[in-house]
Amino acid sequence: MAQAVAGPEIERLVQLLARLPGLGPRSARRAALHLIGRREQLLGPLGEAMRVAAERIVTCTSCGNVDTSDPCTVCRDASRDRSIIVVVEGVPDLWALERAAAIRGQYHVLAGVLSALDGVRPEHLAIDALVARAAEPETREIILALNATVDGQTTAHYVTDLLRHLPLRVTRLAHGVPVGGELDYLDEGTLQAALRQRQAF
Amino acid sequence: MAQAVAGPEIERLVQLLARLPGLGPRSARRAALHLIGRREQLLGPLGEAMRVAAERIVTCTSCGNVDTSDPCTVCRDASRDRSIIVVVEGVPDLWALERAAAIRGQYHVLAGVLSALDGVRPEHLAIDALVARAAEPETREIILALNATVDGQTTAHYVTDLLRHLPLRVTRLAHGVPVGGELDYLDEGTLQAALRQRQAF
């Protein structure tokens, strides 16, 4: 498509933009034109930011977060509680929990969840590293912040079993009604969990 | 938000991505993580494509298209009909018409439409250049492919008046039912135009 409209450089930009999540071929073309119209303010700086990121981003060898330093910003932060490790499936979950600023602990990115269908076995995940970190004397609680899916919960059970011999608490996120959520839009499973785990008012 | 999760390089990438049309702060973060996870295949090449584009993209001095060469790929294409000039509001419209591959003529980008509300007057648009191109002896038809909005149609009338003294046809796009469109979803104006301009079957 559109080969004749513009040089190969622009077509290449459109094709690469179309591979971003949330952009299809049409919106990639719109984004490319938006960028081209703002060459100085946006196109140049964004290209430069990507070059810097591509060069400098590394995976934290301690927790699995991505950052431009190793250990990452979270692991280096001395003000954080080193007795708590929050276990997440992926980096997006870590970032989401940090945005919520709900806990000032450490993290551990499993880089996936166990899945019989997708052939993901324990050795594919950062589970050994988690057990090693959990065995450190300073660790006192492991919070399993895994998705409330079948695979997420299977992984949670598997990890809990591995940690059973260690002198620490293993907890998981509460299930319940999302804040701001309306009851009649919620599924039965959530409503049942919210009732079962009801709190004194 | 999320200042503590990652270094300033990643935050900057997220902020710049959030300025693309179609991406908000949340999807920009998702796009950044997607890019970071595909450093070799996507992040690096996209950054490089943007750098090249920022360096080399120019506006065609003949038609107003954006390209890495001036005159642009369309204007240089010797196989195109030089007797037809398709007048469009912006580069996205030019690209859309090229994707449809409906006509192999030349283009002229006005870079906007007349608008009393927004204070856009004739001297802000590439109208003089259009009249000059229309006066070339090889030009035989001007197709006004402007949006079917009040401002677009005002501009079409204004341009038509300026071209009245020249020995050429001035045409505009047909109004009617979009191909694949369902009648009961169409507005009255479109249905009236489609009936008024009905064709022998």
Side-chain angles (χ1 to χ4, degrees), chain A residues 117-191:
Chain A
L117 267 179
D118 299 334
V120 181
R121 290 195 301 274
E123 60 267 32
H124 299 134
L125 306 178
I127 289 181
D128 289 348
L130 172 62
V131 174
R133 289 180 74 191
E136 299 277 336
E138 63 191 6
T139 310
R140 287 213 302 273
E141 181 172 359
I142 303 284
I143 303 176
L144 299 170
L146 298 170
N147 291 329
T149 56
V150 171
D151 286 345
Q153 296 310 301
T154 305
T155 310
H157 283 292
Y158 182 85
V159 169
T160 308
D161 271 351
L162 287 182
L163 300 175
R164 201 176 291 283
H165 67 286
L166 293 171
L168 41 75
R169 285 180 74 199
V170 180
T171 55
R172 65 165 174 78
L173 297 186
H175 290 308
V177 179
V179 175
E182 295 187 48
L183 294 192
D184 61 347
Y185 286 103
L186 284 174
D187 62 295
E188 290 78 7
T190 302
L191 288 173

Side-chain angles (χ1 to χ4, degrees), chain B residues 26-48:
Chain B
R26 197 172 282 259
S27 47
R29 188 157 276 116
R30 199 155 59 92
L33 278 165
H34 184 89
L35 284 167
I36 290 167
R38 286 154 191 80
R39 211 174 311 167
E40 305 284 315
Q41 315 96 295
L42 191 52
L43 179 57
L46 185 53
E48 177 62 16

Side-chain angles (χ1 to χ4, degrees), chain B residues 65-77:
Chain B
N65 188 13
V66 289
D67 201 345
T68 43
S69 60
D70 179 19
C72 72
T73 311
V74 175
C75 287
R76 274 183 300 134
D77 184 348

Side-chain angles (χ1 to χ4, degrees), chain A residues 1 4-5 7 9-10 16 19 21 29 33-34 39 46 54 56-57 65 67-68 73 91-92 95 98-99, chain B residues 1 4-5 7 9-10 16 19 21 29 33-34 39 45-46 54 56-57 65 67-68 73 91 95 98-99:
Chain A
M1 309 218 305
V5 189
E9 295 88 350
I10 296 179
L16 288 168
R19 288 169 55 191
R29 189 157 272 117
L33 279 164
H34 184 89
R39 212 174 313 168
L46 186 53
R56 314 230 313 242
I57 283 175
N65 189 12
D67 201 345
T68 44
T73 312
V91 175
W95 289 19
E98 276 300 296
R99 277 203 301 283
Chain B
M1 311 219 301
V5 189
E9 295 88 349
I10 296 179
L16 288 168
R19 289 169 56 192
R29 188 157 276 116
L33 278 165
H34 184 89
R39 211 174 311 167
L46 185 53
R56 314 227 314 241
I57 283 175
N65 188 13
D67 201 345
T68 43
T73 311
V91 175
W95 288 19
E98 274 301 296
R99 275 202 301 286

Side-chain angles (χ1 to χ4, degrees), chain A residues 58-80:
Chain A
V58 289
T59 301
C60 176
T61 46
S62 170
C63 75
N65 189 12
V66 289
D67 201 345
T68 44
S69 60
D70 178 20
C72 73
T73 312
V74 175
C75 287
R76 274 183 300 134
D77 184 347
S79 72
R80 282 170 179 266

Side-chain angles (χ1 to χ4, degrees), chain B residues 86-160:
Chain B
V86 183
V87 179
V88 291
E89 175 175 340
V91 175
D93 303 327
L94 189 165
W95 288 19
L97 288 169
E98 274 301 296
R99 275 202 301 286
I103 195 155
R104 303 265 308 158
Q106 306 286 301
Y107 288 93
H108 191 85
V109 179
L110 287 183
V113 283
L114 298 176
S115 166
L117 267 179
D118 299 333
V120 180
R121 290 195 303 274
E123 60 266 33
H124 300 134
L125 305 179
I127 290 181
D128 287 349
L130 173 62
V131 175
R133 288 181 76 190
E136 299 277 334
E138 63 190 4
T139 309
R140 288 212 302 271
E141 180 171 0
I142 302 284
I143 303 176
L144 298 170
L146 298 169
N147 290 329
T149 55
V150 171
D151 286 344
Q153 296 310 302
T154 306
T155 310
H157 283 293
Y158 181 86
V159 169
T160 308

